[in-house]
Amino acid sequence: MTQPELDHRIHQVLSAFKLHGPFFAGYPVNQDFDYSDLYPLLSFAANNIGDPFGHSRYQSNTHETEREVVRTIAELMRLPPDDAWGYVTAGGTEGNMYGIYVGRELLRNPIAYFSQDTHYSVIKILHVLNIRNIMIRSQDNGEMDYDDLRESIRINRDVPPLIVANIGTTMKGAVDALDRVRGIIEELALPRSYIHADAALSGMILPFVDDPQPFGFDSGIDSIAISGHKMIGSPLPCGVVVTKREYTAQIGRAIEYVGALDTTLLGSRNAITPMIIWYSLTKHGPEGFREIVARMLDTAEYAVQQFNANGIPAWRARNSATVVFPRPSPYVLYHWQLAPLGDIAHLITMPHVTRDMIDQVIADYLEWPRAET
């Protein structure tokens, strides 16, 4: 390819991104960011291979920054930083896989329990890791059915449970009640158990609201995964997984030629995404995120009120930016990039979603009937 041809391809992609960006309302991805200060780092072949809390012979790394990110997230998730271990992942799926992997290694031969509303990655992960599993019914609001969970564990109480709890379900933003899950474990007098929390979006919402549902390590979880490209915002998919430092002792092994412990799922890992997450966490700080979250939830409440005022039944879960409503026409789904499932759809009031966008979605919903094909 000639340089003009290369430039043309880049221009095509850029134009498409610019065209669709203003109509991005249905997925939990924050587009309100600017990481231009980090662009010079792209001139180097940086690599975060190995344990971020150890040494690596590959010295063009950002392990120090990665450790800072893990400690910051651990503190937000109510785990003392000195007791925490984790790393920056390629996204929520890797974080879920790592947490479930740790649970499998600690329990050895568990049965995993997850609800119907759990993210699709979990079923895939359980298959890859060859873990026996039982799907628990969901309530209409997206929370797991705790009676079904209790009965399923009771029937199999001779096998330690590995429970995947949702801290904000994909479609409805529901938060599984960790106090009720822990209560079931205590009621059945189970000596061993493990709870992994999938907190891809709400993990960076609940720490910044005045009255959050239980979500952290103080509520009995053993690991948690959040996404970086969702609430934090990133041009590259990424995330953070955090677990207890004591758990990793059974997993790591030394790799001589890179001079590092192999404790992560991947070998070579992105060295730029820790800088992206660190930059956002540091630039905004806790008060900045508190303001961002407050605006998001205010916009979400505005959306619910406006949908309902226009005769479209809509609702959202407590402390959630996910607004659920009846599935609109294919045109509205496509134009606003809304996520559908069965007879419902949702929009998510990420920081770039404005009240004006909400008004336009509603206007299009009313103009293009659901029966349109």
Side-chain angles (χ1 to χ4, degrees), residues 130-276:
N130 195 28
I131 299 175
R132 290 184 294 166
N133 59 85
I134 296 174
M135 180 184 286
I136 303 301
R137 288 192 300 267
S138 289
Q139 302 177 57
D140 290 342
N141 70 351
E143 284 185 59
M144 68 168 60
D145 183 322
Y146 305 105
D147 291 334
D148 191 27
L149 177 66
R150 179 187 293 104
E151 184 63 14
S152 297
I153 294 178
R154 187 192 66 78
I155 293 171
N156 299 281
R157 63 183 301 171
D158 59 317
V159 181
L162 193 170
I163 301 168
V164 180
N166 295 304
I167 308 300
T169 58
T170 304
M171 283 302 299
K172 298 178 180 178
V175 176
D176 291 332
L178 292 174
D179 51 349
R180 297 193 64 176
V181 173
R182 293 300 312 178
I184 291 169
I185 292 171
E186 292 168 7
E187 176 190 333
L188 296 176
L190 303 175
R192 294 191 303 148
S193 63
Y194 186 99
I195 300 175
H196 171 71
D198 179 359
L201 174 60
S202 292
M204 285 298 291
I205 292 178
L206 295 183
F208 305 107
V209 300
D210 291 334
D211 185 25
Q213 301 95 313
F215 67 90
F217 286 84
D218 61 335
S219 299
I221 66 169
D222 295 287
S223 58
I224 193 166
I226 68 162
S227 290
H229 53 287
K230 291 185 169 67
M231 261 303 301
I232 294 171
S234 169
L236 304 172
C238 58
V240 183
V241 62
V242 176
T243 187
K244 298 177 182 179
R245 181 179 294 275
E246 62 190 273
Y247 293 166
T248 62
Q250 299 186 37
I251 295 172
R253 63 191 184 99
I255 307 299
E256 182 179 1
Y257 64 84
V258 294
L261 276 177
D262 181 27
T263 47
T264 63
L265 288 181
L266 303 183
S268 293
R269 296 187 295 107
N270 197 315
I272 303 302
T273 48
M275 295 298 301
I276 289 171

Side-chain angles (χ1 to χ4, degrees), residues 106-119:
L106 291 176
L107 300 179
R108 289 303 172 190
N109 190 29
I111 293 178
Y113 300 87
F114 63 98
S115 78
Q116 290 173 294
D117 280 52
T118 298
H119 190 263

Side-chain angles (χ1 to χ4, degrees), residues 74-104:
E75 196 164 13
L76 289 174
M77 301 303 122
R78 301 179 175 180
L79 177 65
D82 289 343
D83 297 337
W85 186 92
Y87 69 99
V88 174
T89 66
T93 296
E94 185 186 352
N96 285 339
M97 178 173 278
Y98 192 84
I100 293 170
Y101 168 59
V102 171
R104 187 195 72 175

